[in-house]
Amino acid sequence: SRPDGPRRTPKSHPAWRRSCALVAGHLYVRPHMGSRLATEAPDLAQTLSAAPEHVRYRAAVAAASEMGARLPEIRAELTGALESRDEAVAAALADRLDDEYFDLERRGDERYLRVFSCARAAMAVKFAIAGAADDSLYESIIAIDDVGAITRIAMEALRGEV
C-alpha cells in the first residue's frame, strides 16, 4: 500500500531532477514559486490564468485526452472517466495505480516508472473533471515528460483550435 503523505515523484523521473540541484556537494531542492504548472511551463500557466473557466476546462481535457493516446494500457479507463465526468472514478484509478507504482518501486521492478506515468495521467483526468486546469496540465506534463507537447495541445485548446 501507498505510504502516507503526498504523492511523490520518483527520484529517477526527470521532473524530480529538474526540481533539484547539487550545490557544494549537497542536494538542494528548489523552492516552488507559484503554481506547480508555472514551474514546468510558465508561459502556459500565464496564458491559462487569463482564460475563462470553460476555456481552461477545454485545455485540461484536451491534454488529459492525449494521455489516452500516449498510455494505451489505461486509455479506456481515462476516456470513461472523462466522458462520465466522474471525479471519483479517476481518483480511484489514480489511487490504484499509485499503490501499484509504490509496490513495483519497492520491489525494484523497472516497470514502476510506466505505472507512475499512468497514475499521473489519472490524476490529470481527475483534476480536469474537478475544474483544476493548472493542476491537470501539470500532471499531464509529468505523466509523459513532454512539456512541449502538452503546451502545444493546451495552447491550441485555449485558442479554440481543438
Side-chain angles (χ1 to χ4, degrees):
S1 102
R2 169 171 38 116
D4 291 334
R7 290 174 167 85
R8 60 185 173 78
T9 303
K11 292 179 182 172
S12 57
H13 192 278
W16 189 88
R17 290 193 298 269
R18 284 193 299 272
S19 69
C20 301
L22 197 58
V23 178
H26 299 282
L27 184 64
Y28 169 72
V29 178
R30 295 183 181 111
H32 290 278
M33 303 300 249
S35 74
R36 297 184 304 157
L37 179 60
T39 64
E40 294 291 325
D43 292 340
L44 175 57
Q46 183 176 7
T47 303
L48 186 70
S49 70
E53 190 61 36
H54 72 281
V55 176
R56 293 167 52 89
Y57 176 78
R58 182 174 58 215
V61 168
S65 296
E66 177 68 13
M67 300 302 95
R70 301 270 185 125
L71 301 165
E73 61 267 47
I74 59 169
R75 177 182 298 135
E77 293 167 292
L78 295 178
T79 302
L82 277 172
E83 288 175 355
S84 69
R85 292 187 179 195
D86 192 336
E87 190 178 338
V89 168
L93 175 61
D95 286 344
R96 179 177 59 81
L97 290 167
D98 271 341
D99 288 343
E100 184 179 340
Y101 141 64
F102 286 123
D103 183 53
L104 290 170
E105 184 182 35
R106 192 174 17 262
R107 291 184 298 169
D109 188 322
E110 292 182 13
R111 294 175 297 166
Y112 79 95
L113 281 174
R114 182 69 177 191
V115 177
F116 171 81
S117 292
C118 290
R120 302 292 45 88
M123 285 303 295
V125 168
K126 178 210 174 282
F127 284 130
I129 294 167
D134 53 343
D135 287 327
S136 177
L137 291 167
Y138 171 81
E139 293 287 354
S140 293
I141 289 168
I142 298 305
I144 63 170
D145 193 34
D146 191 344
V147 68
I150 297 303
T151 298
R152 180 185 48 75
I153 290 164
M155 292 297 250
E156 287 171 0
L158 289 168
R159 290 189 301 262
E161 297 173 6
V162 237

